[in-house]
Amino acid sequence: MNTSIEFQARNIKFLEFEISNQCQYAYVHQWCPRSRLGTEQLVRLSKHAIQKVMEYFAKFGFNGSVYFSIYNEPLTDSRIFDLIKMAKEAMPLCKVQMYTNGLLLNPYTVDRLVDAGLDTLRISLYSDCIEYAWAVNRVRKSGKCNVSISPRLSLSPKTDAGYDDRIGLYDRNLNCTDPCYMPIQYFNVNCKGDVMLCWDEWKSSVTFGNVNTDSVEDILMNPKRISVIESLKKGNRYGVCAGCDRPTEMCISEYRSDLKL
């Protein structure tokens, strides 16, 4: 078991920030955790906390992906353009990606996203009545950003990947013994600043610290985090992880060649 801070920091390939608790689709899609977590009182992750995390990983030459959504719609937050720009300036080697339900896309927002430095725009299509071909064409014409559309027209927890049934995570034991490498690669920060075990663990019942009050180094080296990582690497899915049967193949990212076990 390698517990050096550099080993832990360089294994992080995804920085995911839930920049607010807002999403317009929250109460339409009852299978989405945001429908249970609520949106009534606005909660926003501070820009200072986000910058603090970025500056820390920049010291290790972070070259992974940055997202500004977990259970939120990033375009509901006017800061999104500045945050994308901040990520590219702080970590020039990173790739900024964004999932959006697309409702707030228009020529103005598309151009601002591209100009801010967005690398990949992923539109989750929740209605067959909405046409986003114009957005795809506009992004591609810029030559600066990739774009894709993911149809999710069933309004159900079953996606093309088949692993989006998160609501019932806490009420089942699937007896999966596949090793999981999610926590060793992901640094997930919810809108309250808590660093989550995994973005599937939507209640944030297991956390490793809070970026508003704790140093990133202390969070990475939290004994509880190290223990969880080592257990999951051996396929020991206990506690909340017992409700997940995501196979090992889906727990290794596109940065698999950089993953050190």
Side-chain angles (χ1 to χ4, degrees):
M1 178 173 65
N2 191 326
T3 57
S4 74
I5 185 59
E6 182 170 2
F7 178 86
Q8 297 298 327
R10 290 192 182 280
N11 260 332
I12 297 295
K13 292 300 176 185
F14 293 88
L15 299 180
E16 300 200 351
F17 302 97
E18 186 179 62
I19 57 177
S20 80
N21 65 339
Q22 300 298 298
C23 180
Q24 322 96 311
Y25 266 126
Y27 297 105
V28 175
H29 299 126
Q30 295 298 303
W31 53 265
C32 175
R34 180 47 60 192
S35 68
R36 310 299 177 92
L37 293 168
T39 61
E40 291 86 356
Q41 184 174 356
L42 174 63
V43 178
R44 296 207 306 181
L45 182 62
S46 75
K47 186 175 179 179
H48 173 75
I50 297 170
Q51 186 172 21
K52 169 184 172 180
V53 173
M54 290 181 178
E55 289 179 349
Y56 182 83
F57 284 100
K59 296 188 298 184
F60 296 92
F62 182 81
N63 63 350
S65 292
V66 180
Y67 287 86
F68 293 105
S69 60
I70 297 181
Y71 296 120
N72 63 291
E73 165 53 49
L75 285 175
T76 62
D77 193 322
S78 62
R79 302 176 300 166
I80 185 61
F81 311 105
D82 289 337
L83 292 174
I84 293 171
K85 184 177 180 181
M86 184 172 72
K88 299 297 287 187
E89 290 177 348
M91 303 174 295
L93 300 178
C94 80
K95 179 167 61 175
V96 181
Q97 306 194 55
M98 190 176 81
Y99 279 98
T100 175
N101 56 40
L103 288 182
L104 295 177
L105 286 178
N106 56 53
Y108 175 71
T109 54
V110 166
D111 290 348
R112 286 196 69 186
L113 289 171
V114 171
D115 291 343
L118 186 68
D119 292 289
T120 303
L121 176 65
R122 304 184 187 278
I123 305 171
S124 296
L125 187 61
Y126 290 104
S127 172
D128 57 5
C129 299
I130 302 177
E131 175 58 65
Y132 287 114
W134 68 268
V136 172
N137 291 334
R138 194 175 186 92
V139 172
R140 287 177 175 167
K141 187 177 180 180
S142 74
K144 301 177 181 178
C145 182
N146 297 314
V147 60
S148 64
I149 293 181
S150 302
R152 300 178 185 272
L153 303 182
S154 64
L155 304 185
S156 77
K158 298 301 180 182
T159 68
D160 52 359
Y163 289 89
D164 206 23
D165 185 11
R166 306 173 192 182
I167 295 296
L169 182 70
Y170 303 88
D171 305 315
R172 61 194 181 214
N173 188 336
L174 300 178
N175 298 311
C176 180
T177 58
D178 280 8
C180 174
Y181 304 123
M182 299 288 283
I184 198 173
Q185 300 174 97
Y186 286 77
F187 195 87
N188 299 303
V189 186
N190 69 17
C191 59
K192 296 178 181 179
D194 295 321
V195 177
M196 307 161 60
L197 163 67
C198 169
W199 36 260
D200 278 339
E201 211 273 276
W202 56 275
K203 290 184 180 180
S204 295
S205 62
V206 178
T207 61
F208 306 125
N210 187 291
V211 296
N212 292 310
T213 56
D214 303 319
S215 72
V216 177
E217 181 168 330
D218 284 347
I219 294 170
L220 286 176
M221 301 305 292
N222 185 325
K224 180 168 66 172
R225 177 178 179 273
I226 302 299
S227 176
V228 167
I229 286 174
E230 292 304 313
S231 292
L232 289 175
K233 282 162 57 176
K234 298 173 183 175
N236 298 329
R237 301 197 184 194
Y238 60 87
V240 66
C241 295
C244 175
D245 62 351
R246 190 181 296 273
T248 299
E249 182 62 24
M250 291 185 67
C251 298
I252 302 179
S253 71
E254 61 263 37
Y255 303 99
R256 64 184 62 202
S257 61
D258 294 331
L259 180 62
K260 307 298 181 185
L261 299 175

